[in-house]
Amino acid sequence: MLKPKRLAKLAGFLLLAATVGVTALAAKTRKGDRLLAQSRAAELQKDWDQALSFAEEALSEDPADIAYQLATTRLRFYAAQHHVDEGRKLRSQGQLDQALVEFQKAYGINPALEMAAEEIERTKSMMEREKKKPQQNAEERGMTPVELEKQKQEKKFAAMEPLPELKPLNTAPINLKMNNQPPKVLFETVGKLAGINVLFDPEYTPPAGAGTKGQSIELNNATLEEALDYVALITRSFWKPVSQNAIFVTQDNQTKRREFEDWVVRVFYLNNVLTAQEIQEIVTAVRTVAEIQKIFTYQAQNAIIVRAEADKVALAEKIIADLDKPKAEVLVDLVVMQVSRARERDLAAAIAPNGINSPISFTPRQSIAVPTSGSTTSGSGVGTGNGSVSTSTNTSSTIPLSNIGRISTRDFSLTLPGGLLNALMNDTNSKVLQSPQVRAVDGQKVSMKIGEKVPYATGSFQPGIGGVGINPLVNTQFTFLDVGVNVDITPKIHGTDEVSLHVEVDISNVKQFLNLGGVQEPDVAQTKIVNDVRLKQGEVNLMGGLMQIQENKTQNGVPGLGSIPIIRRLFTSETVTKDESELVIVLIPHIVRAPNITDVNMRTIGTGNQTVVKLNYAPEKPAETAQPQAAAPQQPGTQPAPQPAAGIAAGAPAPTVVPAAPPATAPPAPVQPALPPATAPPATTPPVPQAKSQAAPGQTPENKARVMFVPPQASAQLNGTITVSLLVENATDLASTPMQIRFDPKVLRLNDVARGNLLASDGQPVAFSKNILNDTGEATVNVSRFPTTGGVSGSGSLVTLVFQAVGKGETIIAVPQLTLRNSQSQPILTAAPQLTVTVK
């Protein structure tokens, strides 16, 4: 057993050890908190590595502290994610080595971050790819394999071309007349005039009558597509473009169309539909009208996917564009005016305004009444026994039977009515004005509720079983009623100035609450109007008006006396109440967006026949230019040269061509060079050199041909005539000369273009077409020989131009698009000429 002194020493030692331990623990916690505060400050500065370092040091001070553990775990995630982001940024710049270091740091900080491990492997694979293909550019070097593949896909998608569109070398209208020619010659001639190649199906055999007897055609100012359609119609052929300067021709039947007609895919994104039902209605319309079977919807993007023939998809595009319109909207001003007035008059005077109601009471005298006695005890002190008792006698209305004979009028009492004078007038006026506005989309219901919700009981049930003295559990179900002004409007907009409205207006208020079965139920006064009305823009409509006048008259008084004239006012009172109320509801519609229906939407378009959908397009209008400028010389090979037309049999009869359409009764013209019209240049025109022989050996036509205006300069008086010729020198194998002439329409007017004599110098027929647009100052001319006649060589006139001076000034006549081509459709290099004209 320890002695008291030793026990005291041991207790003191234990106390000292505990004190030192607590002090050390407190110091240790204060250091961890300081480190945690430094970590938070570094986190605010986005210095994730420093913040994580402080947090880990704080955790090492006290590993059991939950706050330190949470901060360290959170900062490890953010620091690792920061290094991953930095690595991706460096990798996108092509710095793969530094990016790999960042990803490895992220993985070292947080090995649980699977993203860091994936980025390390991805970067290593990119570095291996760079070693195998060191010639990568900076952009490709920073792309991951997935991004590189996506880039390839995007380039592939961008390289996907639509159906080829014809872009002929000569865009001038075609004027052509051919008699008794095979279908192939018809197609090749049209193609030669436009500068396109014509490819035929090896199995192309025109129907009976078209190939044996031949066909005749006459075209006036026809576009290339129109000319091809005309020829296809009379030869029962089907053609389609295969490139910008080539077409393919075959028989027109179901088998060939299924084999050669091109299909396209198109995704239409709708911008104005609101519901899935609207998309389905558009799909149904397209499927029914355009007869497209492969059509699908994608609701997430409001998209419609279509795959069909090109013309069917174009028709679907037209239908969808017509139907996918922004819906019209209307703004409705709703004015609710309610006026109430209540007047009350209360008159009463003199003796008995409310009649006589005076009871007669029996109050017997004390001498005949039965006395009643009572005692009263009073005293003071507690427990003393001292006190006094007093006795009092009261008189009641009870009398003995022996005193009945002694009853007299003195034993009865009566209260007489007093006098009264009352004159009261009460007049109350109240006005309620509500003017809300609602905006609604065409066909969509819009609701507006102004007021409050009032609960009312709709049912109850009793889950428990009640007994005597037991209150059963009763649950009551409530529903909230909208009280106030409730408006529902469904508009239908007609055009730009009329709208139909289906309106439901409910105006209600709570008059009082009634106790029904222990539940306070609201008594609601309601005025409801349901109406359909058609109004013009801004028209005011009194949708509903209710006027109510109620008069109440109440009279109280003494019967008989209240009927005596004059003095009846002394024995009667009169109350007169008059209530007036008026309710007016006004609707004023304002169309804020009308249906966007244009003339293009309402236009009728041709869509082919019952079995084939075929759309026709109008030619594009030429672009307007302010002042004609000289064009640079055309270099060889700048345009794809059409190949020579094939399929013309040897010895085939030459087509007969005239510059313009002859009268219907005129016989076919013989094969002769076309003569200039009456507006040809006069005899004073400078002489034109005649065609010469072939070029000297060793000289190329590209270096020898030259085109010029004769005369090189011209002048005239206002309203005078200017005649110039466009000449070519030293041409070799010249077969066609499509050209575009530009001039200032404010100074000159081109009256006529006449064909020159160069291309027809050997007596072969020549096709000639012209299109003069004086409004824009342009003219398109094409002079060409037929495919079977080859070309000519030498010098001579191409065309003769007759201008009229319509304004003063100096201007330039230019030929910016002049193309000389040989019989192989190859370009002949030459400079574009210019002519300066002065009008005085």
Side-chain angles (χ1 to χ4, degrees):
M1 186 174 182
L2 297 175
K3 294 181 179 181
K5 286 186 176 181
R6 298 185 65 181
L7 184 60
K9 290 181 180 181
L10 180 61
F13 176 76
L14 294 176
L15 180 60
L16 178 62
T19 304
V20 172
V22 170
T23 304
L25 182 60
K28 184 177 181 181
T29 303
R30 286 196 298 271
K31 182 178 180 181
D33 292 343
R34 186 174 64 256
L35 291 172
L36 184 60
Q38 294 176 354
S39 173
R40 290 174 179 171
E43 181 181 355
L44 293 176
Q45 300 296 328
K46 304 299 180 181
D47 190 354
W48 303 106
D49 291 338
Q50 188 66 31
L52 178 61
S53 177
F54 286 132
E56 289 178 342
E57 189 175 352
L59 183 62
S60 64
E61 294 292 333
D62 187 2
D65 194 303
I66 301 298
Y68 301 162
Q69 294 177 5
L70 293 177
T72 304
T73 303
R74 179 172 54 83
L75 289 174
R76 279 175 181 169
F77 173 78
Y78 284 118
Q81 186 64 42
H82 171 69
H83 285 288
V84 169
D85 295 338
E86 290 296 324
R88 289 176 174 173
K89 186 184 301 182
L90 292 172
R91 188 176 61 190
S92 64
Q93 299 172 358
Q95 304 176 16
L96 302 182
D97 297 336
Q98 299 179 17
L100 181 60
V101 173
E102 293 292 334
F103 293 141
Q104 290 174 346
K105 287 182 180 180
Y107 186 76
I109 293 173
N110 188 7
L113 188 61
E114 188 65 24
M115 185 185 304
E118 294 176 358
E119 296 294 349
I120 291 174
E121 295 298 327
R122 189 175 293 115
T123 306
K124 288 181 178 180
S125 65
M126 294 172 62
M127 297 173 69
E128 292 294 332
R129 183 187 66 191
E130 185 180 11
K131 292 179 181 179
K132 297 179 181 179
K133 188 180 179 182
Q135 300 299 329
Q136 291 180 331
N137 54 37
E139 184 181 0
E140 293 181 353
R141 188 167 181 259
M143 288 186 177
T144 64
V146 176
E147 293 173 344
L148 195 60
E149 188 64 28
K150 286 183 178 179
Q151 185 189 48
K152 292 180 181 178
Q153 290 182 357
E154 291 177 357
K155 291 182 178 179
K156 181 180 178 181
F157 296 154
M160 291 181 179
E161 295 183 352
L163 290 181
E165 181 180 356
L166 282 178
K167 294 183 179 180
L169 299 178
N170 181 22
T171 59
I174 297 176
N175 296 285
L176 176 65
K177 179 179 180 181
M178 300 182 68
N179 297 324
N180 195 23
Q181 297 299 320
K184 288 188 176 182
V185 175
L186 297 177
F187 275 108
E188 288 174 343
T189 303
V190 173
K192 193 66 176 179
L193 291 176
I196 63 171
N197 298 327
V198 181
L199 307 177
F200 292 96
D201 183 8
E203 301 178 357
Y204 178 63
T205 55
T212 57
K213 299 181 180 179
Q215 295 289 340
S216 300
I217 187 172
E218 182 177 355
L219 303 175
N220 295 313
N221 292 327
T223 63
L224 174 60
E225 287 77 9
E226 291 174 346
L228 293 175
D229 288 339
Y230 296 158
V231 176
L233 179 63
I234 65 174
T235 61
R236 300 178 187 176
S237 302
F238 161 65
W239 70 274
K240 70 170 186 177
V242 294
S243 67
Q244 294 183 355
N245 63 341
I247 64 171
F248 176 80
V249 180
T250 185
Q251 296 97 328
D252 188 6
N253 54 55
Q254 292 296 331
T255 302
K256 291 297 182 180
R257 281 190 174 271
R258 284 195 299 267
E259 184 177 355
F260 292 106
E261 194 166 15
D262 296 322
W263 283 42
V264 296
V265 175
R266 177 74 183 274
V267 180
F268 299 96
Y269 294 94
L270 307 181
N271 299 320
N272 302 294
V273 296
L274 301 178
T275 62
Q277 180 183 357
E278 295 177 351
I279 299 180
Q280 195 59 43
E281 290 177 355
I282 294 177
V283 169
T284 302
V286 172
R287 180 183 291 115
T288 305
V289 176
E291 296 183 352
I292 297 176
Q293 300 302 323
K294 297 183 182 299
I295 180 170
F296 307 94
T297 61
Y298 183 60
Q299 303 289 345
Q301 296 291 337
N302 284 346
I304 299 176
I305 307 170
V306 179
R307 181 176 184 267
E309 296 87 341
D311 284 329
K312 287 187 177 181
V313 174
L315 179 58
E317 180 180 7
K318 174 68 168 57
I319 296 173
I320 292 176
D322 290 344
L323 298 181
D324 185 27
K325 294 282 188 180
K327 290 194 173 182
E329 294 185 59
V330 61
L331 181 68
V332 181
D333 290 329
L334 181 65
V335 182
V336 180
M337 296 178 291
Q338 186 173 5
V339 179
S340 300
R341 182 177 184 181
R343 291 181 295 176
E344 181 178 356
R345 187 189 65 185
D346 191 359
L347 297 177
I351 302 175
N354 296 323
I356 298 176
N357 185 13
S358 299
I360 299 175
S361 301
F362 179 62
T363 55
R365 292 164 292 167
Q366 184 176 4
S367 59
I368 64 174
V370 177
T372 59
S373 61
S375 60
T376 301
T377 303
S378 63
S380 63
V382 178
T384 59
N386 298 326
S388 62
V389 177
S390 61
T391 303
S392 61
T393 302
N394 297 326
T395 302
S396 67
S397 60
T398 304
I399 62 174
L401 292 176
S402 58
N403 293 335
I404 290 177
R406 300 173 58 186
I407 296 174
S408 65
T409 56
R410 290 179 299 173
D411 299 321
F412 294 92
S413 60
L414 175 65
T415 301
L416 296 177
L420 176 66
L421 178 62
N422 184 18
L424 179 63
M425 186 70 176
N426 188 8
D427 192 348
T428 303
N429 291 323
S430 63
K431 298 180 181 180
V432 178
L433 174 63
Q434 293 178 336
S435 180
Q437 284 185 335
V438 291
R439 181 168 177 168
V441 179
D442 185 23
Q444 301 293 324
K445 179 181 178 181
V446 60
S447 299
M448 182 189 65
K449 301 181 185 299
I450 303 176
E452 59 185 3
K453 288 182 175 291
V454 177
Y456 66 95
T458 57
S460 62
F461 63 94
Q462 180 175 330
I465 300 176
V468 178
I470 300 177
N471 293 327
L473 299 177
V474 178
N475 291 335
T476 303
Q477 299 175 346
F478 289 90
T479 301
F480 287 87
L481 178 66
D482 293 316
V483 177
V485 178
N486 304 316
V487 181
D488 294 333
I489 299 178
T490 304
K492 182 62 180 178
I493 299 174
H494 311 282
T496 60
D497 58 350
E498 287 193 5
V499 58
S500 294
L501 299 176
H502 175 77
V503 186
E504 298 182 8
V505 179
D506 186 350
I507 303 175
S508 57
N509 64 289
V510 179
K511 295 176 58 179
Q512 59 182 343
F513 286 91
L514 304 176
N515 191 336
L516 301 178
V519 179
Q520 294 292 328
E521 295 286 351
D523 181 14
V524 179
Q526 183 184 52
T527 300
K528 186 172 183 179
I529 301 175
V530 179
N531 194 11
D532 289 278
V533 61
R534 180 163 178 166
L535 303 173
K536 285 187 175 295
Q537 162 84 6
E539 182 180 355
V540 179
N541 176 68
L542 295 177
M543 177 182 167
L546 177 62
M547 179 178 292
Q548 182 178 2
I549 300 177
Q550 182 178 358
E551 294 186 2
N552 295 323
K553 183 176 182 181
T554 304
Q555 185 175 7
N556 299 321
V558 179
L561 297 177
S563 300
I564 300 176
I566 300 176
I567 65 171
R568 68 181 183 84
R569 293 292 184 182
L570 300 176
F571 302 97
T572 60
S573 66
E574 185 178 84
T575 302
V576 178
T577 304
K578 185 176 183 180
D579 295 333
E580 298 179 359
S581 63
E582 184 177 2
L583 175 64
V584 178
I585 301 174
V586 180
L587 292 176
I588 308 175
H590 305 279
I591 299 177
V592 295
R593 179 183 290 130
N596 186 20
I597 299 177
T598 63
D599 57 338
V600 178
N601 304 132
M602 303 179 64
R603 185 183 304 164
T604 302
I605 60 174
T607 58
N609 51 42
Q610 185 175 3
T611 58
V612 178
V613 175
K614 180 68 172 65
L615 301 182
N616 299 313
Y617 298 91
E620 296 183 359
K621 296 182 179 180
E624 296 184 0
T625 56
Q627 180 71 20
Q629 300 292 336
Q634 183 179 0
Q635 300 297 329
T638 57
Q639 299 185 32
Q643 300 299 322
I648 302 180
T656 301
V657 183
V658 294
T665 58
V671 180
Q672 295 292 339
L675 297 177
T679 56
T684 58
T685 304
V688 178
Q690 299 297 321
K692 298 181 180 179
S693 59
Q694 296 289 337
Q699 293 180 345
T700 59
E702 289 80 0
N703 296 330
K704 200 172 184 181
R706 179 187 175 193
V707 181
M708 67 188 75
F709 277 108
V710 176
Q713 293 183 351
S715 61
Q717 297 294 329
L718 186 62
N719 297 325
T721 301
I722 303 173
T723 303
V724 296
S725 297
L726 190 62
L727 307 182
V728 61
E729 290 183 350
N730 300 324
T732 302
D733 194 24
L734 181 61
S736 62
T737 59
M739 67 186 74
Q740 183 182 27
I741 303 169
R742 292 185 181 178
F743 54 92
D744 188 355
K746 297 180 181 179
V747 180
L748 298 176
R749 175 183 179 83
L750 182 57
N751 291 335
D752 193 18
V753 180
R755 192 201 66 190
N757 60 357
L758 177 59
L759 292 180
S761 59
D762 58 353
Q764 293 295 332
V766 177
F768 175 69
S769 63
K770 60 183 177 181
N771 184 27
I772 301 175
L773 301 175
N774 281 307
D775 293 337
T776 60
E778 294 182 357
T780 305
V781 181
N782 183 29
V783 185
S784 60
R785 295 167 63 89
F786 288 93
T788 58
T789 60
V792 297
S793 300
S795 302
S797 172
L798 296 178
V799 292
T800 300
L801 309 175
V802 180
F803 290 94
Q804 182 180 1
V806 296
K808 294 183 179 181
E810 183 175 314
T811 183
I812 294 176
I813 301 174
V815 189
Q817 298 182 12
L818 173 63
T819 305
L820 303 183
R821 293 190 177 276
N822 57 22
S823 60
Q824 303 299 320
S825 295
Q826 297 176 352
I828 301 174
L829 179 61
T830 184
Q834 289 186 354
L835 173 65
T836 302
V837 177
T838 303
V839 179
K840 301 178 182 180

